[in-house]
Amino acid sequence: MNTFIIERWTQSGRLAVGAAALVLLVLALLPVLASGLVIDKLTTLFIYILVAVMWNLLAGYAGLVSVGQQAFFGVGGYLALRLVDAGMPPYLALVVGAAGAGLVAIPISTFALRLKGGEFAIAMWVIAEVLRIVVMFDPLVQGETGTSLLALNAFDPQMRRNLNYWLGLGALALMLGATFWLLRSRIGAAAQAIRDDEDAAASIGIDVMRIKQIIFVLAAFGCALAGTVWLASAITFLPRTNFGVQWTVFMLFMVLVGGLRTFEGPIIGAVIFFLLQEVFGNLGVWYLAGLGLVAVAFALYLPDGLWGFWRRRTGIDGLSSGVVLKAPTGS
């Protein structure tokens, strides 16, 4: 009988982690060298990568396809505004506001996760709209007019730009690390088992609701962090923008193009999306329609996305979220 060696780290995986650490170090030092425009653009890119990775965690690895993750993107920013209004320092409020959105996700999950498939997806969109309407009734937000995080104006513009950049980079590094660790843990393996066959997973003792809730709350917290970084960069809070369904369109596009159920795919998709937005973003509705058509084309004809296609053709796995079974040498 053949035996196999369980390999948790491939050579390409070790190289990828080393390269990622080096890139993170360079990015952390970049504000010293780069122009303000470059720093602003990279901050936006960090936000895109963060929401793409969170949607992939939820839909790709746990099978929870949501069209309402903008709910937490908006709630994170709103809670930060409320905390600043109560006297909390703005940058601390941004982090605490994101954590608060993660807490809000807990009671939402007890209802939403009882639904499956299309019911769950639609319910999340409805929840996002309800939260947007509730926030609009707050006098601080002033309805559709919105409000601004004026406390950030107390910071020197260059310092504020750099702090926003480091906040975005730190949030991205934290959530990428947490996601990678989670996917390689028992929780990640259980989530993927639930995605493949929920009834079978339950039959072998997996606590389906608990695993789903962990993934759901983590993804909500990550989206909320992205929302607070967006608020810090834009300063203005507009309910229709911060709770806009376009964020889900962006997430879906980035993940499908880069590669669903892969760790690297959403990052690649976010970079492509960022470049497309820089070139075609001023086309408005036609631009959004084009993104939708491209996403549908990838879903139909290249379901593994660009990274999945590359991995299948080359055999290079990069940052694997599981283990590799290898036959012993000479067997």
Side-chain angles (χ1 to χ4, degrees):
M1 181 176 67
N2 290 332
T3 59
F4 292 88
I5 299 172
I6 298 177
E7 186 177 81
R8 293 193 63 84
W9 286 100
T10 62
Q11 182 63 26
S12 60
R14 294 187 183 93
L15 291 174
V17 170
L22 180 60
V23 169
L24 180 62
L25 177 61
V26 171
L27 288 174
L29 299 175
L30 200 59
V32 180
L33 305 171
S35 67
L37 178 62
V38 170
I39 297 304
D40 286 338
K41 296 294 185 183
L42 284 175
T43 303
T44 301
L45 177 58
F46 296 157
I47 294 169
Y48 291 158
I49 295 175
L50 185 51
V51 295
V53 169
M54 292 300 97
W55 196 85
N56 184 54
L57 172 65
L58 191 67
Y61 287 105
L64 298 169
V65 179
S66 169
V67 292
Q69 292 309 100
Q70 65 272 14
F72 306 109
F73 188 94
V75 167
Y78 167 70
L79 292 179
L81 285 168
R82 265 281 155 215
L83 291 169
V84 170
D85 187 63
M88 185 177 287
Y91 281 99
L92 176 60
L94 293 170
V95 177
V96 176
L103 293 176
V104 170
I106 296 175
I108 290 176
S109 70
T110 60
F111 159 72
L113 293 178
R114 298 182 186 278
L115 306 174
K116 298 180 181 180
E119 292 178 345
F120 171 78
I122 297 301
M124 287 305 302
W125 176 76
V126 172
I127 289 170
E129 285 299 293
V130 169
L131 288 173
R132 178 182 67 83
I133 293 170
V134 170
V135 166
M136 285 172 56
F137 277 113
D138 188 337
L140 178 66
V141 177
Q142 305 176 64
E144 291 289 359
T145 304
T147 187
S148 298
L149 190 56
L150 297 177
L152 289 179
N153 290 332
F155 293 82
D156 173 76
Q158 182 64 37
M159 175 59 70
R160 185 175 70 224
R161 175 183 291 114
N162 291 346
L163 287 174
N164 293 345
Y165 174 87
W166 283 318
L167 176 64
L169 179 61
L172 179 59
L174 172 67
M175 298 313 297
L176 284 175
T179 299
F180 186 63
W181 173 82
L182 185 71
L183 291 176
R184 292 173 64 85
S185 71
R186 291 179 181 272
I187 295 174
Q192 293 174 69
I194 293 169
R195 176 200 65 199
D196 294 338
D197 192 325
E198 184 172 320
D199 293 332
S203 71
I204 61 173
I206 293 176
D207 188 337
V208 172
M209 179 58 74
R210 185 180 71 87
I211 297 297
K212 282 184 174 182
Q213 282 187 310
I214 291 171
I215 299 293
F216 185 88
V217 172
L218 180 62
F221 174 59
C223 287
L225 276 174
T228 58
V229 177
W230 178 268
L231 174 62
S233 301
I235 294 183
T236 302
F237 180 88
L238 297 172
R240 285 204 177 274
T241 298
N242 293 72
F243 285 91
V245 73
Q246 76 273 5
W247 288 106
T248 288
V249 175
F250 297 163
M251 295 178 207
L252 190 148
F253 175 87
M254 292 184 284
V255 173
L256 288 181
V257 169
L260 185 67
R261 303 177 185 175
T262 67
F263 189 82
E264 300 88 347
I267 301 173
I268 295 169
V271 172
I272 293 172
F273 170 73
F274 173 79
L275 295 175
L276 289 174
Q277 190 174 61
E278 287 297 302
V279 178
F280 302 110
N282 60 348
L283 296 180
V285 175
W286 290 107
Y287 166 66
L288 293 176
L291 290 181
L293 290 174
V294 172
V296 170
F298 267 85
L300 292 174
Y301 303 110
L302 199 63
D304 292 338
L306 294 175
W307 181 255
F309 175 76
W310 163 263
R311 185 174 60 181
R312 189 170 63 251
R313 292 293 297 271
T314 65
I316 298 175
D317 194 25
L319 290 171
S320 173
S321 58
V323 299
V324 177
L325 296 180
K326 294 183 65 176
T329 303
S331 63

